[in-house]
Amino acid sequence: MPRGRPAGVPPIGSYTAVGDSFTEGVGDPGPGGWIGWADRLAALLADRHAEHAPPGSFRYANLAVRGRLLDRIVAEQVPRAVELAPELVTFCAGGNDILRPSGDPDLLAERFEQAVAALRAVVPTVMVCTGFDTRGVPVLGLLRGKIATYNAHIRAVADRYDCPVLDLWSLRAMRDRRAWSEDRLHLSTEGHVRVALRAAQVLGLTPPADPDQPWPPQARPLRSQVRRDNIHWAREHLVPWIGRRLRGESSGDDVLPKRPELVPLELPGAVEA
């Protein structure tokens, strides 16, 4: 069973999300921008908090920005999260570093641990995230060993600092193509929903649905269609992504956090998982 908050602990009243595009919610569009699993988790936490506190008293901040590398997240977002001092922080970082040839999981883990130590000094609950299992995924499958090594480090850090772990590697629902957006780098809306449900489980909530429930049956695509889809993906997403890396650019160079302040949650009902 995943580690969560012990029975009898009061509901979480404030939450700050730290990370990159995964936590910003890229791939899960909403009326005013990206939604994502962190916003959806915040809605579930707010519902739970409202059972014991006045409506609207739950506070939420999301500092995540797409494309951010670990060092920049640690330099910009972690100090802000410490300053906000919420009851819960989710800290998911390092994935963009692992995608680079220079991304050493051992060195990344050292910097990751320093950030967790800083957060745990003031935040009662810091939930950390493992990376997804990329078995069978074009290109990213080649990085499976690096991701597994980094995951092992994250689990060790979690043990040392008593952090609950959002284990994305074991989330079987993510192995279905429908969990991913067209770019195959970010989750789809349904993928984000399932991550939010798993995160709620880890924190001791009873989510409204099983995050690993089977997907509806669908016809197996023809090989010719798979080839066409792969060519389209490479042209529209993979090549531009490689080009940005070669130019030293990031999709988040001019992007600011979508919820920089820890304020009462007022999000549309669509964020509910």
Side-chain angles (χ1 to χ4, degrees):
M1 293 295 292
R3 251 184 322 191
R5 290 165 68 84
V9 173
I12 293 168
S14 56
Y15 164 36
T16 296
V18 171
D20 52 29
S21 60
F22 169 62
T23 301
E24 184 186 350
V26 174
D28 182 13
W34 301 117
I35 301 176
W37 71 270
D39 287 11
R40 295 177 182 278
L41 172 62
L44 293 172
L45 293 170
D47 286 345
R48 177 74 175 92
H49 186 257
E51 297 174 5
H52 303 268
S57 59
F58 179 84
R59 297 177 299 144
Y60 170 53
N62 190 320
L63 309 179
V65 176
R66 70 200 73 167
R68 288 292 190 264
L69 298 174
L70 177 61
D71 283 346
R72 192 166 176 186
I73 291 172
V74 172
E76 297 174 352
Q77 298 179 33
V78 170
R80 179 58 177 158
V82 168
E83 180 183 4
L84 294 173
E87 295 177 36
L88 166 69
V89 165
T90 55
F91 180 39
C92 305
N96 288 320
D97 300 79
I98 291 293
L99 293 177
R100 287 162 167 74
S102 60
D104 184 326
D106 300 323
L107 296 178
L108 289 171
E110 294 178 5
R111 301 198 289 275
F112 186 93
E113 180 166 3
Q114 293 169 1
V116 169
L119 289 167
R120 282 291 285 122
V122 298
V123 179
T125 303
V126 177
M127 183 164 67
V128 297
C129 309
T130 70
F132 294 100
D133 186 354
T134 58
R135 177 178 53 184
V137 179
V139 181
L140 298 183
L142 300 174
L143 303 174
R144 191 173 184 237
K146 287 177 64 175
I147 296 170
T149 300
Y150 190 50
N151 284 352
H153 282 302
I154 289 174
R155 287 188 165 280
V157 171
D159 285 341
R160 286 192 287 272
Y161 292 89
D162 194 24
C163 298
V165 178
L166 176 53
D167 184 9
L168 302 174
W169 183 280
S170 68
L171 190 56
R172 296 186 300 274
M174 297 297 103
R175 300 172 190 170
D176 192 286
R177 178 70 186 82
R178 287 168 286 184
W180 297 88
S181 65
E182 185 178 315
D183 68 8
R184 304 185 186 181
L185 292 172
H186 301 101
L187 297 179
S188 64
T189 292
E190 181 63 20
H192 278 285
V193 167
R194 289 179 181 245
V195 170
L197 295 172
R198 174 54 59 86
Q201 284 183 331
V202 172
L203 293 171
L205 278 67
T206 302
D210 178 5
D212 249 341
Q213 61 186 314
W215 292 82
Q218 67 174 176
R220 189 182 184 92
L222 298 174
R223 289 185 180 181
S224 58
Q225 182 61 50
V226 171
R227 284 197 298 270
R228 286 195 295 271
D229 289 346
N230 287 341
I231 292 171
H232 173 79
W233 168 73
R235 182 177 62 247
E236 298 298 324
H237 300 287
L238 179 61
V239 172
W241 180 79
I242 292 173
R244 289 196 300 272
R245 295 298 175 272
L246 293 175
R247 295 190 299 271
E249 299 174 355
S250 168
S251 58
D253 282 343
D254 300 316
V255 177
L256 298 174
K258 63 181 182 181
R259 290 182 63 90
E261 303 294 335
L262 194 60
V263 295
L265 182 65
E266 296 181 1
L267 292 174
V271 305
E272 296 178 0

